[in-house]
Amino acid sequence: MIDVLLVGILWSSLMTISITNSLSPVGLGSLMVLLFVYWTVLEGYRGQSLGKMLLNIVVVGPEGEKIGFRDSALESLGKAFLLPLDCLIGWIVYKGQGQRAFNKFTNTVVASANEVKWCTQM
């Protein structure tokens, strides 16, 4: 939610200077694309978006390794474009694991940054 608020502030600023209505399909589509790029770049580069940095969590592979941009992009697809479905499938199919479906598809997990060696060395 922190990331959506931060990106939403930037997006709403862009919408006020453009001629596009922020609630139009084009406006909402641009927000989803902006969120997708934001999450893909930050989580692909360092495993953390600004919201994850504030919460001291990180997206990692199953052994605690960094994820690449490919996994970050696939994982971000679910968050940016299909979040309700992504969460619903995760809660139903992977009951008790606390993972979204796209985290399972990409074999990624969200962990405490304190438990990840490479993250504490940054």
Side-chain angles (χ1 to χ4, degrees), residues 5 70 117:
L5 288 173
R70 183 186 68 82
K117 290 179 186 177

Side-chain angles (χ1 to χ4, degrees), residues 22-38:
S22 60
L23 296 179
S24 72
V26 171
L28 292 174
S30 65
L31 175 60
M32 289 188 283
V33 169
L34 188 60
L35 283 166
F36 172 74
V37 170
Y38 166 82

Side-chain angles (χ1 to χ4, degrees), residues 26-68:
V26 171
L28 292 174
S30 65
L31 175 60
M32 289 188 283
V33 169
L34 188 60
L35 283 166
F36 172 74
V37 170
Y38 166 82
W39 279 316
T40 298
V41 170
L42 287 177
E43 292 178 359
Y45 175 68
R46 63 174 289 138
Q48 296 176 297
S49 61
L50 294 173
K52 284 183 177 61
M53 288 179 210
L54 290 172
L55 295 173
N56 201 35
I57 55 178
V58 62
V59 179
V60 295
E63 302 297 320
E65 71 276 11
K66 282 186 177 184
I67 64 169

